[in-house]
Amino acid sequence: MKVGKYFRKATRRLTRSRGVQFAVASGVRGAMGMVRSLGPDRAPDSLGRLASAIGRFLPEERVARKNIAAAFPEKSEAERERILRGAWASFGRLAAEYVHLESLVADIDPERPTGGRIEVAGVEHFLALRDDGRPGIIFSAHLGCWEMLPVVAARYGLPLLSLYRAPVNAVLAKDLARRREALMGRLVDSSRGATFEIGAALERGDHLGLLTDQFHHSGHVVTLFGRQTRANPLVGRLARQYECPVHGARSIRLPDGRYRLELTPAFDLPRDAEGRIDAEGTTALVMSVVEGWVREHPEQWLWQHDRWKRNGKPLPDALAARGPAVSTASEPCGSGTAPHDDDPETAQERR
């Protein structure tokens, strides 16, 4: 036990040493250069095939296979296998799309939302959010090309304050922040005092974009694909505190290298007996929307993340026995960028 603990500490020190970080960053930059050389049309297909082949040998394959089987017990083994291979290909495509993001969004014209590589549905909601002088929240999921969402929003004059999780590698973290801010606008590292920046931004009437579909260790208990899990509570808590509209957004891959980005109207959020937004009910609503999106395009979701367990431990029986906070029908659509299961929480957010 002590030997294992010492080994883990030594490994952390080694990976955080300046020399190792520069070496890793150099390797990543070289790999990105190779992907860039393939071009925006060939690279996604090439990395998609590569990821689908390599994924079979990774431990996340077992997690994804188990998740898909539990979510779609009515599907045949062959159908579930197609979803699994598609999920790995989607992950590989995302890496290539990130490298070529500038090229992919280059022909976006707010005057012609359906004329280019990316067709945009819900333009009127982008414009309404931009012009209403109020704060707003846009949630999304790890579905399709989710990195595209804040970039497209910015092109429509709606910059988002985007939460993200910085890599441990400080060199890569700087590269990531520099590139993302050039494309997407303001970023906030979810692990470093994000609460205050989020609060200040919403007070100013800014807009927050975030991903909401990962396990959150202190989140609300909701039902997702028929199983209990803990979901990110940030959307509901912030909507309750700031009484602001909540929209969903998603970016879906279409045939022939095209994409469809959709922004929903503001949701009619559940309220409590005092008329205030019900934070827990809003969390359940958000996750029901995410489930609806995934059921439409299951091969484009990140099934490799274990959203139903944490460190191999199921939820306590008392929590697992609870039903969903609200029951709502799933709706299409989505957008945002990022927190993970350690999103910021404070007493202010818990209100």
Side-chain angles (χ1 to χ4, degrees), residues 74-97:
E74 75 284 1
K75 292 186 180 296
S76 68
E77 191 65 36
E79 289 174 316
R80 293 198 290 265
E81 184 67 22
R82 281 195 294 272
I83 293 173
L84 178 57
R85 300 274 63 84
W88 279 114
S90 179
F91 186 72
R93 293 182 65 87
L94 180 74
E97 289 159 348

Side-chain angles (χ1 to χ4, degrees), residues 159-178:
L160 299 176
L161 177 70
S162 297
L163 286 172
Y164 82 112
R165 190 177 188 180
V168 173
N169 186 307
V171 180
L172 287 177
K174 288 181 181 179
D175 285 355
L176 176 67
R178 187 162 47 243

Side-chain angles (χ1 to χ4, degrees), residues 124-135:
E124 67 275 17
H125 307 311
F126 276 118
L127 302 181
L129 278 167
R130 182 192 68 187
D131 299 333
D132 65 7
R134 300 175 58 197

Side-chain angles (χ1 to χ4, degrees), residues 48 51-56 58-68 83-94 142-143 146 213-215 298-309:
S52 183
I54 293 176
R56 301 174 186 273
L58 299 179
E60 288 79 10
E61 169 93 351
R62 180 181 58 81
V63 174
R65 188 180 297 278
K66 180 179 178 181
N67 286 341
I68 293 169
I83 293 173
L84 178 57
R85 300 274 63 84
W88 279 114
S90 179
F91 186 72
R93 293 182 65 87
L94 180 74
H142 292 83
L143 181 72
W146 66 80
D213 59 334
Q214 287 193 303
F215 187 97
E299 74 289 348
Q300 296 192 35
W301 198 38
L302 191 67
W303 290 97
Q304 295 87 338
H305 173 69
D306 192 345
R307 293 170 176 83
W308 290 273
K309 292 184 180 181

